[in-house]
Amino acid sequence: TLKINSGYRCPAHNNAVGGKAHSSHVRGMAVDIGVATPTELFIIAQAAFKEGAHRVGFYRDKRIIHLDIDPTLPQDVIWAL
């Protein structure tokens, strides 16, 4: 079971949750998924890359993985916060 924490965000909601002004969420090109374990995070990231995601972020304090297909941003990147 996947827990989608955030998908598309309207600009007002994006602002309310502290999202970046030009967030990929506002353009419907990003999703944040809650993960329970590091193994689950790895499995989701591996599947995402296989299916075309080129931007993956890990938010350790929130146990969230961010998957992004926005072609206007740097590609083939992974980050952790």
Side-chain angles (χ1 to χ4, degrees):
T1 304
L2 293 177
K3 179 184 177 193
I4 306 299
N5 289 7
S6 184
Y8 169 78
R9 298 178 192 155
C10 71
H13 179 69
N14 189 60
N15 188 48
V17 298
K20 294 182 178 180
H22 300 289
S23 170
S24 298
H25 287 279
V26 176
R27 292 187 302 283
M29 295 185 188
V31 64
D32 294 337
I33 301 171
V35 294
T37 67
T39 300
E40 191 174 77
L41 185 145
F42 176 78
I43 291 168
I44 292 169
Q46 189 176 37
F49 279 122
K50 183 178 178 182
E51 295 302 322
H54 294 280
R55 301 173 42 77
V56 176
F58 305 109
Y59 297 90
R60 286 175 252 156
D61 61 331
K62 299 177 184 176
R63 291 186 173 244
I64 290 173
I65 182 172
H66 170 95
L67 306 176
D68 194 320
I69 59 167
D70 192 334
T72 68
L73 297 172
Q75 300 296 293
D76 300 321
V77 295
I78 298 174
W79 67 92
L81 298 174

